[in-house]
Amino acid sequence: MVPNGEDECEESKYIEDEEDNEMIFQKSNNIHDVMSRLVKTEIPYFLWTIKRDVVDYHNLSCDQMLNHYGKTASFTTKIGLCMNMRNLPWYVPANPHSFFPRCYGLCSDGEKQEFLDDFRRTAASSILKWVVSHHNYSKNKPRAKKEENDEEMSQNKDQANADEKKLIDLPGQLIEVACKVCEDYLGQLEHDDIDISAESLKTLSEAEWKELVQQYYDLIHGDACISSSKTYFAQCQSILNKIMSVNPQSEIDGMKNIWILKPGAKSRGRDIVCMDRVEEIMKLVTSDNIPSKDNKWVVQKYIETPLLIYDTKFDIRQWFLVTDWNPLTIWFYKESYLRFSTQRFSLDSLDSAIHLCNNSIQKHFKNAKDRSPLLPCYNMWTSTKFQEYLQKRGRGHVWHNIIYPSMKKAITHTMKVAQDHVEARKNSFELYGADFILGKDFKPWLIEINSSPTMFPSTPVTAQLCTQVQEDTIKVVVDRKTDRNCDIGNFELLWRQPAVELPPFSGSNLFVEGFNIQKGRRHMTPITNINLGSPLPAGHMLRNKCFGSQQDQLSEQTMSSKQDVKAREDKGAPCILPMPLKRGSGRTYKISSVYTKTLSNMEFPSFAIQHLENISHKAVFPRTKTTKLVDTNILSTVSIASVLQSIRSLENPVFQPPKGSDLPSSVPAPCLICKGTFQMEKTCKRCSSFRATILQGNAYVPLNGQNSPSKRMVGSLWNF
């Protein structure tokens, strides 16, 4: 460690630098201070911040540009990237395990069990790798030189025998069990277990698994060996070849079964550790001293076979720019830089100084003395320098043919998955930093994606590239808005989502099918019988037919209406007049047909009262010409008071005239709206309706309060 070194984050360093700069600006009167004061109260239209939460982008106007998007945690956090990469096959025909090391979120029991199963399978395959590597090592071991004297050979032989006595000899059954586990795993990849119950899928019991893992620890990490491993070489080699054909990550697994444990939402390498014991991983995850908000751990398979430069591990920081999410537009930066570790690479130690290449981690360590002097003291290379290194070793084509295209493909796939989760704001952009690690076959593996990548000029490399990438970003997001052919620096368009062509729209072919919803009609209590006092003498009982027989000279329209009425006559009950009607000397009345249809079968002079349940009081009927009776002697009229006085209902009185009318006050008048009765007032006490106006065979409720008929006919009565 650097003497008196403090584990401070880069942001705190930024804050200190900003405070120092502010003090300098306050003491000076240079042009920058004057310019800052002039625009201090102006509305900014371009905002570049380190943290997105500093500015509330929801309150920005549409013409204010911001260098952040909202809701990017689906790919800028370790837990978000871990979960969302599993959905990649739904967006593009690609396997995420081909460029993203498998990982699990240890915040649920299901994820913990999946990780445990993966750790055990990897341990079983590592046993097979040990068998193959041990056989190849024994086969290729150089023989002792003939020049060596017999004394030296005997000393070496005695030392080898002593070492073998210290080793623990494990049974060959361990290899057989490991082969069985790997064969079952291959069967699951081929879906051979689709019709097998879950209980029968368990290859080993929990106790057998613990014994297998413990023997694996002794074989790989301890002092143990399998003396009979040569007899299993062919079987192990065959199974490993099958696994490599279906599992693209079998090459990076190695034999140590090392996993890297990361907090789900932290950056700059904080609290990241490497472990190779599953018990220690589970103990750390389930520790009670971890706050609940930080208890989102991600465990990812560590790349045990990375590409090394002078026996030193490194990673690549690659920038890319997103200027729009709908349509998705990605710009890829042609320049990147490499970050080296301060220590030589070794799997015997899991120290973060060896395995983590973040500058925020490595800046606290001194370069190891045994590290190659060909590496720079500031532990960084540009991608151009790396290409020169490959060119000297005859691998100059690797960068343009494998590394660079693979990184572009990984970024494109990741952004397509995250597109639906990001809050796409127009007139915004964001620069991201992706970290890659190369395998021995020069294949890049995506480790994580960082929002607000550091632009601090900590080394000569970052001082040059960080300044350049910021200027080129301004060219893309500002200059290119007005000039599509402007200089965009080292950026190149990686992906622009093609516009979706909408189908042709023709409004004339659109129609709606269905039935209208009718309102429920009000049900009224039917009047079944009306008794009109004492019956008439024989021969004087009149029915509705006698009235219909006098309509011979009516128009065809009136006759057709009466025929419809005759079809329903038999359903009504006969009404009896109390006495023969004669034309009196006093006030007389005539009956005339006003409408072609009525709301009931009630016609003068006899009555057949029809049930009014299915007749709406809102129905409107066409008006026909008024037709007078041919023979007025058929009906002898008397005073209306003498007729209505003897009308009686079986249930309630039918009519009750208002006070002051020509009708007797003892006869009630009905309200045809709510079936209430008018007493002495002009309106109904129950529903406040106006009293019905009797007009030529039909009753109306005048809406305007006058005696003129309204457009709403509420019933049909025999009237005078």
Side-chain angles (χ1 to χ4, degrees), residues 265-295:
K266 290 186 179 181
S267 60
R268 299 184 300 277
R270 290 175 294 176
D271 299 335
I272 296 180
V273 293
C274 295
M275 294 184 176
D276 54 6
R277 305 271 178 160
V278 67
E279 300 83 6
E280 297 177 359
I281 296 175
M282 292 299 184
K283 182 179 179 180
L284 178 62
V285 171
T286 57
S287 178
D288 295 334
N289 56 2
I290 301 176
S292 58
K293 64 179 181 179
D294 296 331
N295 196 16

mmCIF file of all heavy atoms in Angstrom, residues 265-295:
data_model
loop_
_atom_site.group_PDB
_atom_site.id
_atom_site.type_symbol
_atom_site.label_atom_id
_atom_site.label_comp_id
_atom_site.label_asym_id
_atom_site.label_seq_id
_atom_site.Cartn_x
_atom_site.Cartn_y
_atom_site.Cartn_z
ATOM 1 N N ALA A 265 -24.889 -2.302 -6.476
ATOM 2 C CA ALA A 265 -25.059 -0.938 -6.983
ATOM 3 C C ALA A 265 -23.903 -0.022 -6.613
ATOM 4 O O ALA A 265 -24.074 1.186 -6.530
ATOM 5 C CB ALA A 265 -26.363 -0.343 -6.461
ATOM 6 N N LYS A 266 -22.721 -0.574 -6.393
ATOM 7 C CA LYS A 266 -21.563 0.247 -6.084
ATOM 8 C C LYS A 266 -20.622 0.275 -7.275
ATOM 9 O O LYS A 266 -20.678 -0.576 -8.156
ATOM 10 C CB LYS A 266 -20.836 -0.272 -4.841
ATOM 11 C CG LYS A 266 -21.604 -0.062 -3.544
ATOM 12 C CD LYS A 266 -20.781 -0.462 -2.343
ATOM 13 C CE LYS A 266 -21.543 -0.218 -1.043
ATOM 14 N NZ LYS A 266 -20.748 -0.580 0.156
ATOM 15 N N SER A 267 -19.733 1.277 -7.269
ATOM 16 C CA SER A 267 -18.815 1.458 -8.384
ATOM 17 C C SER A 267 -17.398 1.640 -7.861
ATOM 18 O O SER A 267 -17.158 1.651 -6.647
ATOM 19 C CB SER A 267 -19.226 2.678 -9.223
ATOM 20 O OG SER A 267 -19.212 3.849 -8.424
ATOM 21 N N ARG A 268 -16.451 1.768 -8.813
ATOM 22 C CA ARG A 268 -15.038 2.014 -8.524
ATOM 23 C C ARG A 268 -14.419 0.899 -7.703
ATOM 24 O O ARG A 268 -13.515 1.117 -6.909
ATOM 25 C CB ARG A 268 -14.845 3.372 -7.830
ATOM 26 C CG ARG A 268 -15.310 4.558 -8.661
ATOM 27 C CD ARG A 268 -15.007 5.870 -7.967
ATOM 28 N NE ARG A 268 -15.664 5.955 -6.680
ATOM 29 C CZ ARG A 268 -16.927 6.319 -6.505
ATOM 30 N NH1 ARG A 268 -17.678 6.619 -7.543
ATOM 31 N NH2 ARG A 268 -17.447 6.390 -5.301
ATOM 32 N N GLY A 269 -14.938 -0.330 -7.858
ATOM 33 C CA GLY A 269 -14.319 -1.483 -7.216
ATOM 34 C C GLY A 269 -14.511 -1.581 -5.724
ATOM 35 O O GLY A 269 -13.821 -2.378 -5.059
ATOM 36 N N ARG A 270 -15.434 -0.835 -5.173
ATOM 37 C CA ARG A 270 -15.631 -0.851 -3.729
ATOM 38 C C ARG A 270 -16.265 -2.166 -3.279
ATOM 39 O O ARG A 270 -17.256 -2.624 -3.846
ATOM 40 C CB ARG A 270 -16.503 0.330 -3.302
ATOM 41 C CG ARG A 270 -15.818 1.685 -3.436
ATOM 42 C CD ARG A 270 -16.785 2.808 -3.111
ATOM 43 N NE ARG A 270 -17.870 2.900 -4.079
ATOM 44 C CZ ARG A 270 -18.891 3.750 -3.976
ATOM 45 N NH1 ARG A 270 -18.968 4.554 -2.941
ATOM 46 N NH2 ARG A 270 -19.818 3.777 -4.904
ATOM 47 N N ASP A 271 -15.686 -2.774 -2.238
ATOM 48 C CA ASP A 271 -16.186 -3.993 -1.587
ATOM 49 C C ASP A 271 -16.216 -5.198 -2.527
ATOM 50 O O ASP A 271 -16.961 -6.154 -2.283
ATOM 51 C CB ASP A 271 -17.584 -3.762 -1.005
ATOM 52 C CG ASP A 271 -17.601 -2.675 0.050
ATOM 53 O OD1 ASP A 271 -16.540 -2.442 0.654
ATOM 54 O OD2 ASP A 271 -18.655 -2.054 0.256
ATOM 55 N N ILE A 272 -15.433 -5.192 -3.584
ATOM 56 C CA ILE A 272 -15.366 -6.335 -4.488
ATOM 57 C C ILE A 272 -14.282 -7.287 -3.989
ATOM 58 O O ILE A 272 -13.150 -6.871 -3.715
ATOM 59 C CB ILE A 272 -15.070 -5.889 -5.931
ATOM 60 C CG1 ILE A 272 -16.222 -5.021 -6.455
ATOM 61 C CG2 ILE A 272 -14.865 -7.083 -6.836
ATOM 62 C CD1 ILE A 272 -16.013 -4.535 -7.874
ATOM 63 N N VAL A 273 -14.627 -8.558 -3.886
ATOM 64 C CA VAL A 273 -13.687 -9.573 -3.410
ATOM 65 C C VAL A 273 -13.769 -10.784 -4.320
ATOM 66 O O VAL A 273 -14.798 -11.029 -4.982
ATOM 67 C CB VAL A 273 -13.981 -9.983 -1.948
ATOM 68 C CG1 VAL A 273 -13.702 -8.830 -0.997
ATOM 69 C CG2 VAL A 273 -15.420 -10.454 -1.797
ATOM 70 N N CYS A 274 -12.692 -11.559 -4.345
ATOM 71 C CA CYS A 274 -12.645 -12.821 -5.087
ATOM 72 C C CYS A 274 -12.602 -13.972 -4.092
ATOM 73 O O CYS A 274 -11.839 -13.928 -3.110
ATOM 74 C CB CYS A 274 -11.418 -12.865 -5.996
ATOM 75 S SG CYS A 274 -11.418 -11.649 -7.327
ATOM 76 N N MET A 275 -13.405 -15.007 -4.346
ATOM 77 C CA MET A 275 -13.495 -16.154 -3.444
ATOM 78 C C MET A 275 -13.556 -17.434 -4.260
ATOM 79 O O MET A 275 -14.056 -17.440 -5.391
ATOM 80 C CB MET A 275 -14.735 -16.043 -2.541
ATOM 81 C CG MET A 275 -14.701 -14.901 -1.551
ATOM 82 S SD MET A 275 -16.134 -14.912 -0.455
ATOM 83 C CE MET A 275 -15.731 -13.558 0.642
ATOM 84 N N ASP A 276 -13.078 -18.521 -3.639
ATOM 85 C CA ASP A 276 -13.131 -19.826 -4.286
ATOM 86 C C ASP A 276 -13.773 -20.887 -3.404
ATOM 87 O O ASP A 276 -13.691 -22.080 -3.704
ATOM 88 C CB ASP A 276 -11.723 -20.278 -4.701
ATOM 89 C CG ASP A 276 -10.744 -20.268 -3.539
ATOM 90 O OD1 ASP A 276 -11.178 -20.019 -2.391
ATOM 91 O OD2 ASP A 276 -9.547 -20.506 -3.772
ATOM 92 N N ARG A 277 -14.406 -20.488 -2.321
ATOM 93 C CA ARG A 277 -15.102 -21.408 -1.414
ATOM 94 C C ARG A 277 -16.561 -20.983 -1.320
ATOM 95 O O ARG A 277 -16.875 -19.848 -0.950
ATOM 96 C CB ARG A 277 -14.471 -21.375 -0.026
ATOM 97 C CG ARG A 277 -12.981 -21.650 -0.011
ATOM 98 C CD ARG A 277 -12.681 -23.105 0.126
ATOM 99 N NE ARG A 277 -11.249 -23.386 0.103
ATOM 100 C CZ ARG A 277 -10.708 -24.496 0.578
ATOM 101 N NH1 ARG A 277 -11.474 -25.423 1.140
ATOM 102 N NH2 ARG A 277 -9.401 -24.704 0.487
ATOM 103 N N VAL A 278 -17.439 -21.890 -1.649
ATOM 104 C CA VAL A 278 -18.856 -21.548 -1.681
ATOM 105 C C VAL A 278 -19.383 -21.247 -0.285
ATOM 106 O O VAL A 278 -20.296 -20.437 -0.110
ATOM 107 C CB VAL A 278 -19.650 -22.693 -2.351
ATOM 108 C CG1 VAL A 278 -19.626 -23.960 -1.510
ATOM 109 C CG2 VAL A 278 -21.079 -22.267 -2.634
ATOM 110 N N GLU A 279 -18.806 -21.899 0.736
ATOM 111 C CA GLU A 279 -19.267 -21.646 2.102
ATOM 112 C C GLU A 279 -18.965 -20.209 2.520
ATOM 113 O O GLU A 279 -19.790 -19.553 3.171
ATOM 114 C CB GLU A 279 -18.606 -22.624 3.077
ATOM 115 C CG GLU A 279 -18.898 -24.083 2.803
ATOM 116 C CD GLU A 279 -17.991 -24.669 1.738
ATOM 117 O OE1 GLU A 279 -17.058 -23.949 1.300
ATOM 118 O OE2 GLU A 279 -18.215 -25.822 1.333
ATOM 119 N N GLU A 280 -17.801 -19.698 2.135
ATOM 120 C CA GLU A 280 -17.444 -18.328 2.488
ATOM 121 C C GLU A 280 -18.316 -17.320 1.744
ATOM 122 O O GLU A 280 -18.669 -16.270 2.292
ATOM 123 C CB GLU A 280 -15.965 -18.093 2.162
ATOM 124 C CG GLU A 280 -15.015 -18.958 2.963
ATOM 125 C CD GLU A 280 -13.578 -18.735 2.553
ATOM 126 O OE1 GLU A 280 -13.350 -17.924 1.626
ATOM 127 O OE2 GLU A 280 -12.682 -19.367 3.148
ATOM 128 N N ILE A 281 -18.673 -17.643 0.506
ATOM 129 C CA ILE A 281 -19.539 -16.734 -0.262
ATOM 130 C C ILE A 281 -20.906 -16.635 0.383
ATOM 131 O O ILE A 281 -21.450 -15.535 0.587
ATOM 132 C CB ILE A 281 -19.641 -17.216 -1.717
ATOM 133 C CG1 ILE A 281 -18.264 -17.143 -2.395
ATOM 134 C CG2 ILE A 281 -20.659 -16.388 -2.484
ATOM 135 C CD1 ILE A 281 -18.250 -17.704 -3.798
ATOM 136 N N MET A 282 -21.490 -17.769 0.733
ATOM 137 C CA MET A 282 -22.816 -17.758 1.346
ATOM 138 C C MET A 282 -22.785 -17.098 2.717
ATOM 139 O O MET A 282 -23.734 -16.413 3.115
ATOM 140 C CB MET A 282 -23.338 -19.199 1.466
ATOM 141 C CG MET A 282 -23.653 -19.846 0.132
ATOM 142 S SD MET A 282 -24.946 -18.929 -0.746
ATOM 143 C CE MET A 282 -25.172 -19.969 -2.181
ATOM 144 N N LYS A 283 -21.705 -17.266 3.444
ATOM 145 C CA LYS A 283 -21.602 -16.642 4.764
ATOM 146 C C LYS A 283 -21.538 -15.132 4.644
ATOM 147 O O LYS A 283 -22.143 -14.403 5.444
ATOM 148 C CB LYS A 283 -20.362 -17.182 5.478
ATOM 149 C CG LYS A 283 -20.187 -16.635 6.884
ATOM 150 C CD LYS A 283 -18.956 -17.238 7.543
ATOM 151 C CE LYS A 283 -18.769 -16.676 8.953
ATOM 152 N NZ LYS A 283 -17.555 -17.254 9.614
ATOM 153 N N LEU A 284 -20.803 -14.633 3.647
ATOM 154 C CA LEU A 284 -20.707 -13.188 3.464
ATOM 155 C C LEU A 284 -22.038 -12.593 3.020
ATOM 156 O O LEU A 284 -22.422 -11.502 3.456
ATOM 157 C CB LEU A 284 -19.623 -12.870 2.437
ATOM 158 C CG LEU A 284 -19.433 -11.389 2.087
ATOM 159 C CD1 LEU A 284 -19.020 -10.592 3.318
ATOM 160 C CD2 LEU A 284 -18.403 -11.221 0.979
ATOM 161 N N VAL A 285 -22.742 -13.309 2.173
ATOM 162 C CA VAL A 285 -24.014 -12.795 1.656
ATOM 163 C C VAL A 285 -25.069 -12.743 2.744
ATOM 164 O O VAL A 285 -25.871 -11.800 2.825
ATOM 165 C CB VAL A 285 -24.481 -13.660 0.468
ATOM 166 C CG1 VAL A 285 -25.889 -13.286 0.052
ATOM 167 C CG2 VAL A 285 -23.531 -13.489 -0.702
ATOM 168 N N THR A 286 -25.094 -13.746 3.604
ATOM 169 C CA THR A 286 -26.115 -13.832 4.651
ATOM 170 C C THR A 286 -25.672 -13.175 5.946
ATOM 171 O O THR A 286 -26.301 -13.377 6.983
ATOM 172 C CB THR A 286 -26.451 -15.298 4.925
ATOM 173 O OG1 THR A 286 -25.254 -16.000 5.292
ATOM 174 C CG2 THR A 286 -27.050 -15.946 3.686
ATOM 175 N N SER A 287 -24.601 -12.389 5.910
ATOM 176 C CA SER A 287 -24.114 -11.731 7.119
ATOM 177 C C SER A 287 -25.145 -10.730 7.619
ATOM 178 O O SER A 287 -25.786 -10.023 6.846
ATOM 179 C CB SER A 287 -22.783 -11.029 6.846
ATOM 180 O OG SER A 287 -22.333 -10.354 7.999
ATOM 181 N N ASP A 288 -25.308 -10.660 8.932
ATOM 182 C CA ASP A 288 -26.314 -9.786 9.532
ATOM 183 C C ASP A 288 -25.843 -8.346 9.647
ATOM 184 O O ASP A 288 -26.656 -7.450 9.882
ATOM 185 C CB ASP A 288 -26.703 -10.300 10.920
ATOM 186 C CG ASP A 288 -27.393 -11.649 10.846
ATOM 187 O OD1 ASP A 288 -28.003 -11.935 9.792
ATOM 188 O OD2 ASP A 288 -27.317 -12.390 11.830
ATOM 189 N N ASN A 289 -24.552 -8.086 9.522
ATOM 190 C CA ASN A 289 -24.059 -6.725 9.706
ATOM 191 C C ASN A 289 -24.100 -5.903 8.433
ATOM 192 O O ASN A 289 -23.580 -4.799 8.393
ATOM 193 C CB ASN A 289 -22.619 -6.754 10.236
ATOM 194 C CG ASN A 289 -21.694 -7.555 9.299
ATOM 195 O OD1 ASN A 289 -22.128 -8.037 8.265
ATOM 196 N ND2 ASN A 289 -20.433 -7.686 9.704
ATOM 197 N N ILE A 290 -24.725 -6.413 7.377
ATOM 198 C CA ILE A 290 -24.834 -5.683 6.119
ATOM 199 C C ILE A 290 -26.183 -4.978 6.091
ATOM 200 O O ILE A 290 -27.211 -5.608 6.347
ATOM 201 C CB ILE A 290 -24.707 -6.629 4.913
ATOM 202 C CG1 ILE A 290 -23.356 -7.355 4.965
ATOM 203 C CG2 ILE A 290 -24.848 -5.876 3.609
ATOM 204 C CD1 ILE A 290 -23.175 -8.367 3.869
ATOM 205 N N PRO A 291 -26.234 -3.697 5.809
ATOM 206 C CA PRO A 291 -27.521 -2.998 5.713
ATOM 207 C C PRO A 291 -28.404 -3.629 4.651
ATOM 208 O O PRO A 291 -27.924 -4.141 3.637
ATOM 209 C CB PRO A 291 -27.130 -1.557 5.346
ATOM 210 C CG PRO A 291 -25.700 -1.425 5.777
ATOM 211 C CD PRO A 291 -25.090 -2.780 5.610
ATOM 212 N N SER A 292 -29.706 -3.574 4.889
ATOM 213 C CA SER A 292 -30.647 -4.218 3.969
ATOM 214 C C SER A 292 -30.616 -3.581 2.595
ATOM 215 O O SER A 292 -30.784 -4.246 1.580
ATOM 216 C CB SER A 292 -32.068 -4.150 4.546
ATOM 217 O OG SER A 292 -32.436 -2.792 4.762
ATOM 218 N N LYS A 293 -30.381 -2.258 2.536
ATOM 219 C CA LYS A 293 -30.376 -1.594 1.239
ATOM 220 C C LYS A 293 -29.166 -1.985 0.403
ATOM 221 O O LYS A 293 -29.198 -1.873 -0.822
ATOM 222 C CB LYS A 293 -30.406 -0.077 1.435
ATOM 223 C CG LYS A 293 -29.170 0.484 2.133
ATOM 224 C CD LYS A 293 -29.256 1.999 2.263
ATOM 225 C CE LYS A 293 -28.008 2.572 2.934
ATOM 226 N NZ LYS A 293 -28.075 4.043 3.040
ATOM 227 N N ASP A 294 -28.074 -2.421 1.090
ATOM 228 C CA ASP A 294 -26.875 -2.833 0.371
ATOM 229 C C ASP A 294 -26.797 -4.348 0.218
ATOM 230 O O ASP A 294 -25.806 -4.859 -0.292
ATOM 231 C CB ASP A 294 -25.624 -2.334 1.101
ATOM 232 C CG ASP A 294 -25.566 -0.811 1.130
ATOM 233 O OD1 ASP A 294 -26.100 -0.190 0.196
ATOM 234 O OD2 ASP A 294 -24.992 -0.264 2.079
ATOM 235 N N ASN A 295 -27.788 -5.069 0.672
ATOM 236 C CA ASN A 295 -27.758 -6.522 0.630
ATOM 237 C C ASN A 295 -28.229 -7.047 -0.723
ATOM 238 O O ASN A 295 -29.110 -7.893 -0.807
ATOM 239 C CB ASN A 295 -28.635 -7.085 1.758
ATOM 240 C CG ASN A 295 -28.340 -8.556 2.005
ATOM 241 O OD1 ASN A 295 -27.323 -9.087 1.566
ATOM 242 N ND2 ASN A 295 -29.242 -9.209 2.715
#
